[in-house]
């Protein structure tokens, strides 16, 4: 797997792959461990179209703190 992501500078990981409020995947792998093994930075994004778009554009400062993104993401970007 590491060879398949070696050319990437960042890997986007949807938040639904993690336990609530923790950087631990549901299979007990830590995000930091995955970063180390794959040798690529991981950015956790909301599992929404907006989360994917902002993550891909590198505009992650507009993303709210993890979990419960749906309601807060719209207000963070002024779509209310």
């Amino acid at each position: 797997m590491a060879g398949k992501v070696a050319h990437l500078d960042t890997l986007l990981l949807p938040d639904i792959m993690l336990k609530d409020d923790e950087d631990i995947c549901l299979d007990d792998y830590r995000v930091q461990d995955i970063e180390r093994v794959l040798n690529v930075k991981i950015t956790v994004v909301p599992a929404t179209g907006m989360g994917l778009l902002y993550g891909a554009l590198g505009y992650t400062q507009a993303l709210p703190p993890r979990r419960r993104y749906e309601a807060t993401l719209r207000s963070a970007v002024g779509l209310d």
Side-chain angles (χ1 to χ4, degrees):
M1 179 67 150
K4 293 183 179 185
V5 297
H7 65 285
L8 301 176
D9 59 355
T10 302
L11 182 68
L12 301 178
L13 189 71
D15 67 331
I16 59 170
M17 292 185 65
L18 304 174
K19 294 180 181 179
D20 281 346
D21 302 320
E22 294 184 71
D23 284 342
I24 300 174
C25 294
L26 299 177
D27 56 3
D28 291 327
Y29 285 103
R30 296 187 178 280
V31 171
Q32 297 83 359
D33 297 335
I34 299 169
E35 284 180 324
R36 182 179 40 77
V37 169
L38 296 179
N39 197 28
V40 66
K41 181 183 180 299
I42 293 178
T43 300
V44 178
V45 297
T48 63
M50 258 328 202
L52 176 61
L53 177 65
Y54 279 177
L57 295 175
Y59 192 57
T60 55
Q61 68 272 15
L63 296 175
R66 287 235 333 262
R67 294 314 287 162
R68 310 301 176 245
Y69 287 112
E70 199 60 47
T72 57
L73 184 58
R74 295 182 65 77
S75 64
V77 296
L79 295 177
D80 285 337

